[in-house]
Amino acid sequence: MHPTRIFKSPEELREAWNKYKDQLIEDSNKWEKIQYVGKDGNRVTDYPKVPLTLAGFEVYCYNNYGCVEQYFKNQGDLYNDFVPICSHIRKEIRADQIAGGLLGFYNPSITQRLNGLTDKKEVDHKGGINIPSVPDIGDRKK
């Protein structure tokens, strides 16, 4: 075990992950969305769900515990016991982003790109210029 580990066990990292998810629920209050609905234009306030992101989790951990990037990179094979929880966190983030994009809660284009789901179509345009022959104007009769 590396002596400077912030989290001594995978369970401690899982606990930090769960606290991060709880924090996102509180953070949604920062993103108030006001809409006017119905024939009378009633004001409705909504607080959209904030998406899970690895960058967001790393920032949360840095602000509350310290740097966790090495856990996800398994730097120097010193974090082998954390591989399953890190894999689970990545998959939970991906599942959240894909479902949110499919349901229209998150921008589908961004979630597709973040998760490598973009449609890559190659368009090969082979063309030339087709100039029809024009009769010589000088030979026309008046």
Side-chain angles (χ1 to χ4, degrees):
M1 179 186 325
H2 195 272
T4 61
R5 276 189 179 181
I6 298 164
F7 301 109
K8 303 301 181 198
S9 70
E11 290 75 27
E12 289 180 13
L13 182 59
R14 181 188 308 271
E15 186 177 320
W17 170 246
N18 289 330
K19 286 180 181 178
Y20 164 70
K21 292 189 294 185
D22 292 341
Q23 181 66 47
L24 288 184
I25 294 169
E26 291 178 33
D27 287 350
S28 70
N29 293 328
K30 297 176 186 175
W31 302 98
E32 182 180 89
K33 183 178 179 183
I34 299 171
Q35 299 179 51
Y36 295 91
V37 298
K39 66 177 183 154
D40 298 327
N42 296 324
R43 181 184 165 139
V44 176
T45 303
D46 185 25
Y47 299 95
K49 181 183 180 304
V50 179
L52 302 174
T53 65
L54 186 56
F57 180 55
E58 288 178 348
V59 168
Y60 171 81
C61 284
Y62 187 84
N63 291 338
N64 293 284
Y65 307 101
C67 185
V68 294
E69 184 179 19
Q70 67 275 21
Y71 291 84
F72 289 90
K73 289 184 174 180
N74 192 15
Q75 202 167 2
D77 287 335
L78 296 171
Y79 302 90
N80 287 333
D81 48 334
F82 287 86
V83 169
I85 185 61
C86 290
S87 177
H88 170 78
I89 289 170
R90 282 191 188 103
K91 287 179 182 177
E92 190 172 343
I93 289 169
R94 188 169 197 262
D96 175 74
Q97 290 176 355
I98 291 170
L102 288 170
L103 296 172
F105 290 102
Y106 308 149
N107 182 309
S109 177
I110 292 172
T111 56
Q112 287 171 356
R113 277 185 269 145
L114 286 173
N115 291 288
L117 300 173
T118 55
D119 241 353
K120 295 182 180 180
K121 296 180 183 176
E122 286 189 33
V123 178
D124 188 15
H125 180 71
K126 294 180 184 175
I129 299 175
N130 184 10
I131 302 175
S133 62
V134 180
D136 188 6
I137 296 175
D139 291 342
R140 288 190 182 176
K141 293 183 182 177
K142 293 185 182 183

